[in-house]
Amino acid sequence: MSERLQAAQAVLRTNDRGGYTVPTDRLYPFQWNWDSAFVAMGWGIFDEPRAWREIHRLLEGQWEDGLVPQIVFHAPSDDYFPGPEVWGVRRDPPTSGITQPPVLATATRRLLDRASDRAAAEAEAAAIYPRLLASHRWWAEARDPGRTGLVATLHPWETGMDNSPAWDSILDRVPTETTSEIRRRDTAHIDPAFRPRAIDYQRFIHLVDLFRAEGWDAARMLRASPFRVADVGTNAILARAERDLLALAARFGSAADRAAIETRLARAEPAIETLWQKAAGIYRSRDLVGGEILPASTSAGFLPLFGGVHRHAEQLAATLEDWLARVRFAVPSTDPAHPMFEPLRYWRGPIWAVVNWMIAEGFADAGRAAQAARIRADTRALIGREGFSEYFDPTTGQGIGGGTFSWTAAIDLLLAE
Ligand code: DGY
């Protein structure tokens, strides 16, 4: 095995806390939802039982209504804010009260399809399948009660792209007062210039305080939240997850399950299409409070390809070329021509390996092999040069945020396959 593969595996083993993998030591000391889905796929390359264990441990945090929380607080740590006491969700294990982009069905299907231990994988996937079904039902019922085909996200942390410029105009209307005392820990681990600003955190925590006061009740949260967005990233990832769930349902589910998933998919595809912005050549998110399309083009706008919506693949390829004329490496998280593009600050410009992986899969599925190859080659080159960083500056390639990120290591393993 190459030194590089050994190093990627070592990152996952070092970040293993007993069946679950922390995103990185100190900065993120618990189990995160979408991180773990990518990480499970990475474990699947070299340790299948451990990959399944990752998913089971995440699902230990699943709520009765089907919600798969953004964070499962398996063990106490002072290294992270906001911890379980701020969320005030009384469960064992404690969890946060919001979710994250649903990659779990995609991870489960991939692990099953590629398993060398077929019998074990069938048994694992059969056990996980009802939990995935419950999770996707939750998305429809809790976040799209009007059956529009687009689910709502209620917090920037739910989008996974916390401080994206796409959310700026919406966050402007979120008050900055908090009842919880803000004691940030992230800036003790990482240069504050690379992280969200203080005012962003005030608004992030304002929303947490609001939802806690609403008792973490899904319907009340949806009504009360000033941040209510049809995030193109989440909706595209969910569409992909529904396709993967449908494939799992063909093996483990009932005809009624398959019909329900097909109905949701049939609603989602035309709804995602309403986010297409012809002049910009990309999909963008919609504010569900005011109804407007949000002004910033971000890397999430390529993800409908990953979700199986391929009709604008040619224009999306042209948009990618346009972006790449301005930066050295693919894919910046924000349009590099946008005035709010910041190449070093978290989701306002840097490259994220997991997003690259999904966009490359999308281009490949849509028959655009050249774009897929470019994105995969850049991702491999960046990791080869800088290590398993949290994210990378698209203008210089500099790795940022520390060098032992589980999901970056997982993507390196997937790309080396
Ligand atoms: C953080 O705390 O920065 C995370 O992105 C929240 O999920």
Side-chain angles (χ1 to χ4, degrees):
M1 198 196 322
S2 75
E3 254 176 56
R4 177 150 171 192
L5 288 181
Q6 279 177 22
Q9 294 184 8
V11 168
L12 297 193
R13 292 209 191 279
T14 305
N15 290 339
D16 185 356
R17 295 290 179 273
Y20 71 93
T21 313
V22 296
T24 194
D25 195 32
R26 312 277 317 270
L27 182 63
Y28 299 121
F30 310 109
Q31 187 174 20
W32 263 259
N33 177 336
W34 75 326
D35 292 71
S36 267
F38 290 108
V39 161
M41 292 190 264
W43 279 109
I45 306 269
F46 65 103
D47 187 341
E48 289 173 21
R50 179 59 187 78
W52 294 112
R53 184 104 184 93
E54 185 79 24
I55 296 181
H56 287 297
R57 297 241 51 195
L58 181 66
L59 290 172
E60 282 172 22
Q62 187 173 27
W63 293 15
E64 286 68 30
D65 66 358
L67 169 101
V68 181
Q70 159 226 22
I71 308 174
V72 183
F73 299 106
H74 290 289
S77 169
D78 288 336
D79 276 324
Y80 182 79
F81 174 86
E85 62 296 338
V86 178
W87 294 92
V89 171
R90 279 180 209 84
R91 300 187 59 87
D92 185 20
T95 68
S96 72
I98 57 174
T99 189
Q100 263 186 332
V103 186
L104 213 50
T106 300
T108 303
R109 182 186 181 189
R110 187 180 167 104
L111 288 173
L112 174 65
D113 286 352
R114 291 166 187 246
S116 50
D117 187 343
R118 303 290 325 155
E122 288 278 334
E124 295 284 7
I128 291 165
Y129 167 75
R131 312 293 290 271
L132 299 174
L133 193 68
S135 153
H136 287 208
R137 274 197 197 120
W138 174 86
W139 273 106
E141 280 161 23
R143 296 306 178 83
D144 185 22
R147 301 295 188 261
T148 65
L150 291 174
V151 295
T153 46
L154 304 184
H155 195 295
W157 285 339
E158 288 201 325
T159 71
M161 305 186 182
D162 306 358
N163 65 338
S164 169
W167 319 139
D168 286 359
S169 58
I170 302 185
L171 281 174
D172 278 349
R173 68 172 176 246
V174 176
T176 52
E177 297 76 46
T178 62
T179 47
S180 300
E181 187 197 341
I182 299 186
R183 292 183 301 117
R184 282 180 75 170
R185 304 289 296 131
D186 58 320
T187 43
H189 306 306
I190 300 285
D191 184 338
F194 306 154
R195 293 286 306 173
R197 302 162 306 165
I199 193 166
D200 300 324
Y201 259 76
Q202 287 171 283
R203 290 173 164 139
F204 296 164
I205 299 304
H206 177 91
L207 291 170
V208 172
D209 288 341
L210 174 70
F211 300 152
R212 192 184 55 243
E214 296 291 349
W216 300 110
D217 176 272
R220 284 168 55 189
M221 286 166 64
L222 187 66
R223 262 196 309 276
S225 184
F227 187 99
R228 200 155 73 236
V229 174
D231 166 31
V232 65
T234 300
N235 278 281
I237 290 168
L238 180 58
R240 169 59 180 252
E242 292 281 33
R243 282 175 208 285
D244 291 320
L245 187 66
L246 191 58
L248 294 170
R251 287 148 98 157
F252 309 114
S254 65
D257 292 352
R258 292 195 290 279
I261 299 165
E262 275 164 0
T263 303
R264 292 198 297 264
L265 261 174
R267 261 198 312 261
E269 285 175 13
I272 287 174
E273 208 39 43
T274 66
L275 304 178
W276 174 249
Q277 302 305 300
K278 192 162 180 250
I282 198 161
Y283 293 86
R284 286 184 185 156
S285 301
R286 184 186 299 282
D287 174 15
L288 290 173
V289 175
E292 304 87 34
I293 289 286
L294 295 168
S297 296
T298 72
S299 55
F302 295 101
L303 289 175
L305 295 171
F306 179 68
V309 182
H310 294 161
R311 63 180 65 101
H312 301 299
E314 192 181 338
Q315 294 95 319
L316 287 166
T319 299
L320 180 70
E321 299 309 324
D322 190 40
W323 288 22
L324 293 182
R326 292 189 167 81
V327 292
R328 281 175 60 200
F329 299 97
V331 178
S333 44
T334 297
D335 175 359
H338 192 280
M340 293 297 146
F341 171 72
E342 290 182 72
L344 289 169
R345 198 186 286 275
Y346 214 43
W347 288 95
R348 299 180 78 83
I351 296 165
W352 293 72
V354 293
V355 177
N356 275 13
W357 182 79
M358 291 188 287
I359 296 174
E361 291 280 300
F363 274 119
D365 291 348
R368 300 256 147 205
Q371 284 74 26
R374 165 76 199 263
I375 295 167
R376 287 170 177 154
D378 280 11
T379 313
R380 289 279 289 162
L382 288 168
I383 298 172
R385 220 179 75 171
E386 301 287 311
F388 306 103
S389 298
E390 186 175 19
Y391 41 91
F392 302 88
D393 178 340
T395 62
T396 63
Q398 182 197 345
I400 311 154
T404 53
F405 268 78
S406 300
W407 69 1
T408 309
I411 294 303
D412 205 40
L413 291 165
L414 292 175
L415 292 177
E417 224 194 348

